[in-house]
Amino acid sequence: MKAPTFLEGVAVALAASLLGAASFAVLSALLPAALVLRVEIALIGLGYVIYLLRRSRERIGRITSLGVWALAAIAIWLGAPSLTTYIVGHVGLVWIVRSLYHYSSVLAALTDLGLGALGLIAALWAATVSHSVFLSLWCFFLVQALFAAIPKRLPRKPAGEPRTPDPEDRFQRAHRTAEAALRKLTTSH
């Protein structure tokens, strides 16, 4: 499976924005806007987490991750006094899932955390300027589409310094050497 691309992220951003804005327009006519926003944030967050899990090469722990996400979403629903805290909690959940399933270094995960914060700032700006659910979601998810540009593993040392061999490569070399020695011992007798 290919890694997610920026254009795929743009398509996800467009779909989330259109669905979110349309459902908000319909539901806010029937229910209080604050309740509709909370429900929408949870449902869009769930949809995005499912997308992230499906696009990950990692197959282990998906059901557990969804279960933990659901429990955390319920805890955020019950414990978040303000809409801002609620939104930050859900962005944090997305960050955790993306970090666990799409990155293999702490530096890459921290870069993604910055991307989540930047997306929140863009969404807040769009909400303040336009009062549009569509534009707020569009700005947030458009910034999130950039996660495809973050390498799975960011190098720890500057580019000019020689890298130490990967421990797994050293293990593979040692394993091959041990197998060769064992074959040599078994065929010489």
Side-chain angles (χ1 to χ4, degrees):
M1 177 183 296
K2 273 184 6 180
T5 64
F6 174 73
L7 288 178
E8 183 180 306
V10 171
V12 168
L14 184 60
S17 301
L18 288 172
L19 287 172
S23 60
F24 180 79
V26 170
L27 292 175
S28 63
L30 306 170
L31 300 167
L35 175 64
V36 173
L37 278 175
R38 285 180 181 252
V39 169
E40 290 232 344
I41 290 165
L43 290 177
I44 291 171
L46 175 61
Y48 192 65
V49 164
I50 290 170
Y51 159 74
L52 291 172
L53 292 174
R54 288 188 51 83
R55 295 298 286 135
S56 170
R57 292 183 177 122
E58 190 66 43
R59 300 286 177 228
I60 298 173
R62 290 179 177 202
I63 301 297
T64 303
S65 294
L66 279 176
V68 170
W69 180 91
L71 290 174
I74 290 168
I76 292 169
W77 181 285
L78 297 174
S82 70
L83 186 60
T84 304
T85 307
Y86 186 78
I87 293 170
V88 169
H90 277 279
V91 171
L93 290 177
V94 166
W95 170 69
I96 289 170
V97 170
R98 211 161 44 198
S99 294
L100 289 173
Y101 283 89
H102 290 275
Y103 306 119
S104 60
S105 75
V106 173
L107 193 53
L110 289 174
T111 303
D112 189 78
L113 179 62
L115 194 65
L118 186 62
L120 271 176
I121 291 167
L124 179 63
W125 172 80
T128 304
V129 171
S130 69
H131 302 287
S132 167
V133 172
F134 174 82
L135 288 177
S136 298
L137 289 170
W138 172 249
C139 288
F140 176 76
F141 283 109
L142 190 60
V143 172
Q144 297 314 294
L146 293 171
F147 99 91
I150 300 173
K152 184 176 175 102
R153 180 181 246 347
L154 292 175
R156 284 186 246 166
K157 292 186 177 183
E161 292 185 33
R163 292 192 60 189
T164 57
D166 187 14
E168 192 162 310
D169 290 342
R170 287 185 284 169
F171 174 79
Q172 291 297 330
R173 227 181 4 255
H175 185 10
R176 285 191 300 273
T177 304
E179 283 180 334
L182 187 59
R183 273 194 304 274
K184 191 174 181 181
L185 284 174
T186 57
T187 58
S188 65
H189 287 102

